[in-house]
Amino acid sequence: MSRTTTMCKPASPPAPAEMSSDGPRSITDEVPHLHDPGAESVIPLLEEEVRLEKRQVTTGKVRVRTVVDVVEETVGTALREETVEITRIPVDREIDQVPHIRTENDVTIVPVVGEVIVVEKRLVLKEELHIYRRTRTERRRMRTPKPAGVGGE
């Protein structure tokens, strides 16, 4: 929907009386209806201005609903289980510095140190923790729900 607004500006005032061979002329000489009070008046239009506006109108609404179908299927997977066993090995030996954690074969060795006060302070390796790592893989089949249409269906 558009709306048109017309704005009229009054005619500019008449130019000063011009001189003619008969003498000065007036506005009544140029516009004949000014002599006759009953005559229809026409005002010349000097400028017209149009303004268009637009507005947003809600014409309707849409309701969207989605439905997910779930189909149960059997899938295979590998389950991995890892267990650790810790064995304490007494050492009781004097050392000069703290040993680093090390791995020998599949055993991780973590040194446990303590300090003993004698006449002087000495670093003593109290024990080592031997950590054995065992990994076991087992294949199982399980039923699990998954949305229909997923995985190329």
Side-chain angles (χ1 to χ4, degrees), residues 97-115:
Q97 61 184 15
V98 177
H100 296 287
I101 297 174
R102 65 188 189 277
T103 301
E104 294 177 2
N105 298 325
D106 285 339
V107 179
T108 303
I109 301 172
V110 179
V112 178
V113 297
E115 296 175 340

Side-chain angles (χ1 to χ4, degrees), residues 5-70:
T5 305
T6 304
M7 302 176 75
C8 298
K9 293 185 180 176
S12 58
E18 297 177 5
M19 296 297 286
S20 72
S21 59
D22 300 338
R25 295 184 339 178
S26 70
I27 189 70
T28 56
D29 294 333
E30 303 232 352
V31 184
H33 65 274
L34 292 178
H35 294 293
D36 184 6
E40 183 177 321
S41 298
V42 176
I43 300 174
L45 181 64
L46 294 181
E47 183 178 324
E48 183 174 70
E49 188 176 299
V50 175
R51 185 176 56 186
L52 297 175
E53 296 176 352
K54 80 179 183 180
R55 61 187 170 105
Q56 202 169 29
V57 176
T58 303
T59 58
K61 294 182 180 180
V62 175
R63 179 177 289 172
V64 176
R65 188 183 93 156
T66 60
V67 177
V68 176
D69 293 329
V70 176

